[in-house]
Amino acid sequence: MRNRLTISVVAILAAAAAGVVNAPASAAVTIETGRFVWHDLMTRDVPAARRFYGGLLGWQFEDVKRGDRPYVLARSGSDPVAGIVDINHYPDAGAQWISFMAVDDVDKSVGVVQSAGGKVLVDARDLEPVARVAVVADPQGAPLGLARLRKDRPDMVKPVARQFFWDEYLARDAAQALDFYKRLAGYQSSISDTRLGVEYHVLQNSRKRAGLFQLPATATNILPNWLPYILVDDPQAVGSRVSGLGGQVILPAAPERRNGTLVIIKDPSGAPLALQKYPY
């Protein structure tokens, strides 16, 4: 699950513009800070990604463009769920999923990141009439998209099968990460689980938005990162198809981990993703 820092302007264009509900450009759209509003897959093999996610989750794909660059929009039924970005033109890029968080003020949020020791990967910019966006690396190096959407994207209170429903931060320093994301997103936190000797923190505002826990000291090959979750009815059954589609199961279901309802995989390009049944 080692991730290299990577981002491209294509991802920003795609994340901000895909899958939103049309509204007048001048209309004010209230999207709560801290809500994850989009996910983009960065990959060097787009055809393999389409085969993998189509076979695994039943997603359908549409070839579109953002600006003058190709972009693949993934749908589950009629719902837009994700984007796929070809990173072959970016030699330092690595395969991974990028999660985009809604904020009230992109420029102010970028300032919070920088003052805490994070970095700007893509400067804040306007994508009229859709959003103002930026991409950062947080103080522990995890990439994160920031977006102030000007078009609405409905907040799914009830998770929907084969769609993203959770994001989880794997921290090298949980206390530092909690402090940072409370300042950035206004989260409150509570500990929901201490099994396996690990404190699992739930980050929330009007409702639960994400989880956070500290990586064990032995996990030296894992960099801090945001891990996205897809809701599936039977993680073990879905996971059994992963290798045949070119991916890899890196954490199989086990009774001690959420009652056997969690499987973590890598897609053919090496991007990690969690599959989980909920409630578990």
Side-chain angles (χ1 to χ4, degrees), residues 106-182:
V106 171
D107 298 84
K108 182 178 179 180
S109 296
V110 167
V112 172
V113 172
Q114 291 177 306
S115 67
K119 298 179 180 179
V120 178
L121 301 181
V122 178
D123 289 330
R125 64 197 63 203
D126 287 308
L127 301 175
E128 297 292 355
V130 179
R132 184 164 179 80
V133 297
V135 177
V136 299
D138 76 8
Q140 297 188 39
L144 176 71
L146 304 173
R148 175 66 171 94
L149 298 186
R150 299 190 179 114
K151 294 186 177 182
D152 196 16
R153 181 165 176 79
D155 189 3
M156 290 187 299
V157 176
K158 183 177 180 180
V160 177
R162 300 184 300 280
Q163 297 191 28
F164 293 96
F165 79 104
W166 192 245
D167 283 84
E168 194 168 83
Y169 190 79
L170 284 63
R172 185 61 59 199
D173 183 334
Q176 188 273 349
L178 283 168
D179 177 70
F180 172 73
Y181 282 102
K182 285 177 180 179

Side-chain angles (χ1 to χ4, degrees), residues 180-198:
F180 172 73
Y181 282 102
K182 285 177 180 179
R183 285 189 287 137
L184 181 69
Y187 287 137
Q188 296 178 332
S189 70
S190 60
I191 297 174
S192 70
D193 197 347
T194 58
R195 283 179 289 183
L196 304 179
V198 175

Side-chain angles (χ1 to χ4, degrees), residues 51-62:
R51 289 192 298 270
F52 180 78
Y53 290 102
L56 191 71
L57 300 170
W59 287 355
Q60 298 89 39
F61 305 94
E62 179 183 354

Side-chain angles (χ1 to χ4, degrees), residues 15 25 30 32 40 48 54 68 71 75 88 111 121 127 150 206 227 237 247:
T30 301
E32 188 171 39
D40 262 340
D68 62 348
Y71 179 73
R75 295 182 183 273
N88 280 296
L121 301 181
L127 301 175
R150 299 190 179 114
S206 66
L227 177 68

Side-chain angles (χ1 to χ4, degrees), residues 4-44:
R4 294 158 59 195
L5 289 185
T6 170
I7 203 67
S8 71
V9 176
V10 179
I12 306 304
L13 296 172
V20 294
V21 178
N22 287 333
S26 60
V29 176
T30 301
I31 296 179
E32 188 171 39
T33 293
R35 174 153 73 92
F36 287 90
V37 293
W38 192 250
H39 297 82
D40 262 340
L41 173 65
M42 320 297 281
T43 181
R44 295 191 179 278

